[in-house]
Amino acid sequence: MARRKKIIFFTGAGISQESGIDTFRDSGGIWEQHTIEQVATATAMYENTETVLEFFNDRRLALGNTLPNKAHELIAKLEEDFDVEVITQNVDDLHERAGSSNVTHLHGELTKVCSMKNHKISHDIGYNTIRMGELASDGEQLRPDVVLFGEDVPKLEVAQTKMWDADIIVVVGTSLSVYPAANLVGYGKNSAKYYFINPEKTGETLMYSYPHLSKAKFILKKATAGMEELYSKLVDKE
Ligand code: NAD
């Protein structure tokens, strides 16, 4: 039996925008209400722990009332025809809830918490909140198990290897401005097919470093409409 083609979806905040989750950088997005320095850096985690916990508590509570959209669902449905992997920068769980089986969260998961001192001491908390004084099993304060600016990205190497293996790479809803994650897009094979789904053209800076990306096809639409277009292209023609 012929090997099924491998598709990697590399997703960002834009794929969850139509589910009602704000992106970071668009107008009306999260950074218009909070600064990165206040809530999303390693320094803030240690100096303003309570503020950071509250910020992520709000996001976790809201996530419990949010549903995957058609874009998440079509990615999961493609598993009927392809070997599909999702590498997401998102901390929401909408890919999993849409039915995707292979999801790598580069920047952690909102529904998990870990010890301030040891990220390997981690557990699920669903859509519940955490407060100051709630401790991990090592006696340290619990914190969201997400990767903040200034912290390592432990899944980066695994994600690089997966990218190298893909026949088709689809980049959905990311500004490609958060590094080192953005560089992953360039790790695909020269022979891979690339699609970018985003109402705005992104990735032009990356193309200087990874010239093979210049053959990418752009679907300049929101994620749901863009995924509908891509789905019929892939399932009818690939
Ligand atoms: P970003 O905010 O920098 O960029 C969002 C991108 O999505 C933009 O390029 C924008 O044009 C595009 N976009 C907006 N609406 C869209 C739609 N309906 N369909 C398709 N594209 C749309 O987000 P990013 O590139 O993911 O990087 C920022 C960081 O934000 C990531 O590391 C991620 O961890 C974090 N983040 C995650 C969530 C989430 O989990 N849902 C939400 C906000 C931010």
Side-chain angles (χ1 to χ4, degrees):
M1 206 172 82
R3 166 173 113 43
R4 279 155 49 115
K5 285 194 176 175
K6 176 157 187 164
I7 308 190
I8 291 199
F9 285 90
F10 181 73
T11 66
I15 195 168
S16 300
Q17 187 268 334
E18 290 165 274
S19 290
I21 302 181
D22 284 342
T23 62
F24 271 180
R25 287 175 185 76
D26 295 314
S27 79
I30 295 168
W31 295 143
E32 286 190 357
Q33 297 140 43
H34 303 85
T35 66
I36 292 182
E37 291 74 19
Q38 280 168 345
V39 294
T41 63
T43 309
M45 187 75 244
Y46 283 92
E47 292 181 355
N48 310 313
T49 309
E50 193 159 11
T51 309
V52 178
L53 296 189
E54 286 304 329
F55 174 78
F56 284 99
N57 280 341
D58 290 348
R59 269 147 202 92
R60 199 179 303 107
L61 281 171
L63 181 58
N65 297 314
T66 304
L67 294 172
N69 63 49
K70 188 83 185 171
H72 300 103
E73 285 164 11
L74 286 174
I75 290 174
K77 190 166 163 55
L78 279 167
E79 290 187 19
E80 291 167 11
D81 297 285
F82 293 89
D83 176 5
V84 180
E85 291 257 3
V86 177
I87 300 177
T88 187
Q89 299 166 90
N90 293 345
V91 295
D92 68 51
D93 61 354
L94 299 183
H95 281 298
E96 288 90 341
R97 281 202 268 143
S100 281
S101 342
N102 304 308
V103 184
T104 302
H105 284 271
L106 279 179
H107 294 158
E109 294 173 65
L110 257 186
T111 54
K112 290 188 174 162
V113 289
C114 64
S115 156
M116 283 280 250
K117 286 275 162 64
N118 184 349
H119 291 224
K120 289 189 177 145
I121 301 179
S122 168
H123 66 265
D124 285 315
I125 56 155
Y127 308 107
N128 298 307
T129 55
I130 46 169
R131 302 275 165 222
M132 291 301 286
E134 281 187 59
L135 305 181
S137 58
D138 60 352
E140 298 291 339
Q141 173 66 41
L142 280 175
R143 58 160 278 180
D145 194 358
V146 299
V147 174
L148 299 171
F149 288 97
E151 294 183 331
D152 288 342
V153 181
K155 301 228 169 119
L156 196 63
E157 257 180 61
V158 152
Q160 281 169 352
T161 313
K162 287 177 191 274
M163 287 305 248
W164 180 247
D165 211 23
D167 301 299
I168 303 169
I169 293 173
V170 187
V171 179
V172 190
T174 167
S175 61
L176 295 171
S177 52
V178 175
Y179 287 84
N183 274 330
L184 277 175
V185 175
Y187 275 79
K189 287 187 284 219
N190 285 4
S191 60
K193 287 187 177 175
Y194 291 86
Y195 297 93
F196 284 64
I197 300 176
N198 194 316
E200 287 175 17
K201 210 165 182 188
T202 56
E204 276 153 328
T205 322
L206 271 184
M207 287 172 198
Y208 295 121
S209 313
Y210 304 104
H212 62 289
L213 294 180
S214 56
K215 66 180 181 171
K217 295 197 169 67
F218 289 89
I219 300 178
L220 297 175
K221 293 183 175 172
K222 286 191 172 190
T224 56
M227 271 306 302
E228 273 166 5
E229 182 174 322
L230 183 78
Y231 183 88
S232 39
K233 203 188 279 276
L234 293 177
V235 172
D236 297 343
K237 294 194 189 144
E238 292 286 344

